[in-house]
Amino acid sequence: MRSAQQGRETDAMNANLHALIESHFPSGTEQPCLLIPNEGVVHYDELAQASARIANALVRAGCVPGDRVAVQTDKHWQVLALYLACLRAGLVYLPLNTAYQKRELEYFFRDAEPRVIVCRPGSVGMIETIGNGALVLTVDGRGGELWDRARDESTTFVTVDSKPDDLAAILYTSGTTGRSKGASLTHRNLASNALALVEAWAFTRRDVLLHALPIYHVHGLFVAVHCALLSGARMLWLPRFDAEEIVDLLPQATVMMGVPTFYTRLLAQPSLTRDASRHVRLFVSGSAPLLPETFAAFRERTGHTILERYGMTETGMITSNPIEGVRAPGTVGRPLPGVNVRVVDDAGDECSPGTIGSVQVRGPNVFAGYWRLPDKTREEFTADGWFRTGDVGEWVPDGPAEGYLRLVGRAKDLIISGGLNVYPKEIEERIDALPGVAESAVIGVPDPDFGEAVTAAVVPKPGATVDEAQVIAALRGDIASFKVPKHVYAIDELPRNAMGKVQKNVLRQRFARNPDKG
Ligand code: MCA
Ligand code: AMP
């Protein structure tokens, strides 16, 4: 139990995540932080100074704590400095997938009302038309307009005093209704999860993290970056995932994090060997289920046992297989320190091990709610304060993985493609709006590369025909490319049950087994 004195000290501390991060920056700050192939090295002090300059520039531009800064850019190191600048200035960082198209962005900007939007030079014109008067700045390989404003600013900035529940970031996740919701993440959420991961995965300053994930989602931005920054480690900073390049760089790395597609693509490289991965101490997989076949093939080829963990945008990381001890394929391990997980039946009672139920989470990692959607937020929590993940699982009842969580499916209608979530409803609405379409159903079918491939079954209107290429062409430019179906099948009618509900499992079986049978 903490004493009243300790309590006052804790409450008085600055809960800003940046205060925690900077307290872990290596002393004698000329330590390398980012190793960027073909570009050079960014040291910790350089990163800290760049983030101070950007923070000063944002404040000079009129930003005040709580303002949103939306960011849709490529993975330049200055964008990491921008993220840190937002934290330390008390601004709310809002990263956006570079695949999002105008219609999607328009919604995010209307909903979040950012004061500043940082984007790629090529999208300025479009973004200015939908930015609702936000200041639009570019970032490119040399720093862009953002850096032009920041260059001459002071290299010091006093981190804003934040309360634990102040917002640090908003990350949009789509939902079963087809409408995206902004998950509001606080400084407490991000800090608690980061500390739990550094401990769980034994990060130290000696680590070199191979960072090939995008930095607009929780996995690449929070999980990977925070583990490295909170341990003073280095990151091999790659603009994107390229399997051949990764294998070439592996000998320099000690940790790699990726989605399952990374691992299947690495396995397709003959150059992936035990020797190539001899310095790596940890391979982490998450964001989507890692197939036991991939787990086994990777172990066979490299001698490494991938550590699988489970998380969500709304909660950060929830469970993890252990750093020491059994890492069991098909399971996601035990709850992280400080995180509570329960599996419950329809009545809300805890299931005994081996019985499948709904996975719920509680803890300092669980988000503050959906941005400006109090009713939606209430729906996603139980009366006693647990967050409903929408995932279905069980506690492993016995054997070496006893007590580990095993996910068996999802109650939510969700497809995960290459680690990216696609909600069928959103795609169905776009397809149904196309001429000649009566109705549609979108499903995920097993795919060797993406895990699941977005697939559409479309019923044409009487007398109309539906052509796969036309549907795909019509959706491109309208929605992010990873959401566009890889296959479109015309069918006479959608299978429905007695209640009139579309039987997506029937469609999944039909198109997974015999995709040519339209
Ligand atoms: C790209 N394409 C995709 C995907 N990515 N299609 C379906 N699913 C995808 N994930 C399409 C593009 O639209 C394009 O289509 C073609 O593939 C090539 O594009 P390119 O950009 O070259 O793709 P890539 O570089 O091969 O990208 C695949 C990838 C990438 C490396 C797997 O998607 C990726 O980095 N995924 C990681 C996402 C991630 O960070 N998830 C974490 C979310 P066309 O040629 O037809 O135009 S956070 C989360 O889930 C929680 C919190 C958690 O637990 O971590
Ligand atoms: P997101 O909304 O992008 O944060 O995705 C969160 C969802 O990804 C979770 O609710 C799970 O359905 C899924 N997920 C994340 N990690 C894993 C994993 N290791 N195994 C299975 N599903 C996962």
Side-chain angles (χ1 to χ4, degrees):
M1 233 169 81
R2 63 180 200 171
S3 67
Q5 176 62 28
Q6 278 171 330
R8 271 197 302 281
E9 278 166 13
T10 314
D11 294 342
M13 271 165 46
N14 185 357
N16 190 302
L17 171 64
H18 193 273
L20 179 72
I21 290 176
E22 72 192 323
S23 73
H24 286 82
F25 271 17
S27 54
T29 46
E30 274 192 24
Q31 294 288 334
C33 177
L34 303 173
L35 314 172
I36 314 177
N38 307 319
E39 264 189 54
V41 177
V42 179
H43 295 85
Y44 269 96
D45 58 346
E46 216 174 335
L47 184 65
Q49 287 170 12
S51 76
R53 287 188 161 117
I54 296 173
N56 283 312
L58 291 173
V59 169
R60 194 180 297 282
C63 290
V64 294
D67 280 348
R68 274 77 60 205
V69 176
V71 180
Q72 190 194 37
T73 63
D74 295 321
K75 193 178 162 186
H76 304 297
W77 76 265
Q78 292 90 345
V79 180
L80 180 58
L82 170 62
Y83 166 58
L84 297 177
C86 289
L87 286 179
R88 65 198 301 189
L91 307 175
V92 181
Y93 193 73
L94 196 171
L96 294 162
N97 192 318
T98 48
Y100 289 141
Q101 302 291 315
K102 182 176 177 185
R103 204 178 49 78
E104 294 160 312
L105 295 172
E106 208 167 357
Y107 169 78
F108 298 135
F109 298 154
R110 207 173 40 243
D111 192 50
E113 298 182 304
R115 179 175 280 258
V116 175
I117 302 171
V118 182
C119 66
R120 299 181 279 194
S123 23
V124 175
M126 178 267 286
I127 286 192
E128 277 178 339
T129 65
I130 57 173
N132 303 319
L135 170 65
V136 180
L137 297 173
T138 59
V139 158
D140 59 24
R142 291 183 314 281
E145 291 164 5
L146 177 75
W147 194 243
D148 291 345
R149 284 182 176 241
R151 187 177 292 117
D152 297 328
E153 292 285 352
S154 163
T155 55
T156 58
F157 184 92
V158 179
T159 296
V160 161
D161 227 328
S162 299
K163 302 268 178 302
D165 291 330
D166 286 347
L167 288 198
I170 297 177
L171 273 81
Y172 276 88
T173 71
S174 5
T176 42
T177 58
R179 195 180 156 199
S180 287
K181 301 159 294 186
S184 298
L185 298 164
T186 65
H187 286 269
R188 185 208 313 268
N189 294 152
L190 301 184
S192 69
N193 213 231
L195 289 168
L197 292 177
V198 168
E199 181 189 332
W201 297 341
F203 262 81
T204 73
R205 193 171 164 168
R206 288 187 298 282
D207 277 314
V208 180
L209 171 70
L210 205 159
H211 195 306
L213 285 157
I215 51 167
Y216 36 69
H217 293 301
V218 165
H219 198 163
L221 181 62
F222 300 146
V223 181
V225 162
H226 291 168
C227 279
L229 295 186
L230 283 186
S231 49
R234 281 159 289 168
M235 287 183 265
L236 268 163
W237 191 252
L238 306 178
R240 56 186 293 279
F241 179 84
D242 174 325
E244 211 181 318
E245 187 185 12
I246 300 288
V247 181
D248 283 350
L249 290 169
L250 265 186
Q252 298 176 42
T254 66
V255 183
M256 193 191 95
M257 295 183 191
V259 298
T261 300
F262 281 22
Y263 292 100
T264 50
R265 288 190 183 180
L266 285 176
L267 281 165
Q269 296 294 318
S271 52
L272 177 75
T273 58
R274 276 176 190 254
D275 194 46
S277 55
R278 69 190 177 282
H279 295 312
V280 180
R281 68 169 182 88
L282 181 63
F283 286 98
V284 180
S285 175
S287 308
L290 180 73
L291 293 178
E293 298 92 277
T294 312
F295 178 95
F298 202 82
R299 180 144 74 182
E300 169 82 27
R301 179 87 74 84
T302 65
H304 285 281
T305 309
I306 298 173
L307 178 153
E308 184 170 8
R309 57 59 177 179
Y310 158 55
M312 251 186 113
T313 298
E314 288 90 332
T315 62
M317 299 302 99
I318 302 168
T319 65
S320 174
N321 272 277
I323 189 89
E324 304 282 353
V326 176
R327 295 182 197 159
T331 80
V332 291
R334 293 181 194 275
L336 285 162
V339 177
N340 301 296
V341 180
R342 69 182 189 185
V343 175
V344 298
D345 62 18
D346 288 346
D349 295 324
E350 288 217 31
C351 297
S352 47
T355 305
I356 289 167
S358 304
V359 178
Q360 300 183 343
V361 188
R362 199 170 63 177
N365 55 312
V366 177
F367 74 137
Y370 293 111
W371 173 254
R372 292 180 178 165
L373 291 173
D375 292 344
K376 187 74 204 157
T377 303
R378 256 190 303 281
E379 273 173 33
E380 300 300 331
F381 283 86
T382 64
D384 54 350
W386 293 73
F387 175 65
R388 305 176 208 271
T389 63
D391 292 310
V392 175
E394 62 173 1
W395 297 113
V396 175
D398 47 34
E402 185 180 346
Y404 288 16
L405 183 65
R406 195 166 73 85
L407 295 175
V408 298
R410 299 167 206 138
K412 53 199 175 190
D413 192 10
L414 162 70
I415 300 165
I416 305 185
S417 169
L420 294 172
N421 289 5
V422 180
Y423 278 89
K425 179 87 175 159
E426 182 188 356
I427 320 304
E428 289 160 3
E429 281 174 2
R430 305 313 301 164
I431 296 176
D432 293 352
L434 297 176
V437 172
E439 58 176 349
S440 64
V442 169
I443 51 169
V445 302
D447 180 87
D449 187 30
F450 291 123
E452 289 182 284
V454 178
T455 301
V458 181
V459 180
K461 283 186 176 151
T465 51
V466 167
D467 174 52
E468 176 174 64
Q470 270 173 358
V471 172
I472 291 177
L475 294 178
R476 276 186 190 284
D478 189 36
I479 52 175
S481 52
F482 65 86
K483 301 178 187 169
V484 174
K486 303 288 183 207
H487 304 287
V488 178
Y489 300 104
I491 60 173
D492 295 337
E493 60 179 340
L494 296 178
R496 293 184 188 274
N497 65 14
M499 313 288 289
K501 193 169 162 8
V502 176
Q503 292 170 301
K504 291 205 167 177
N505 53 340
V506 172
L507 289 173
R508 264 182 229 114
Q509 275 168 15
R510 177 169 169 186
F511 293 115
R513 270 211 317 266
N514 189 1
D516 295 329
K517 197 164 169 249

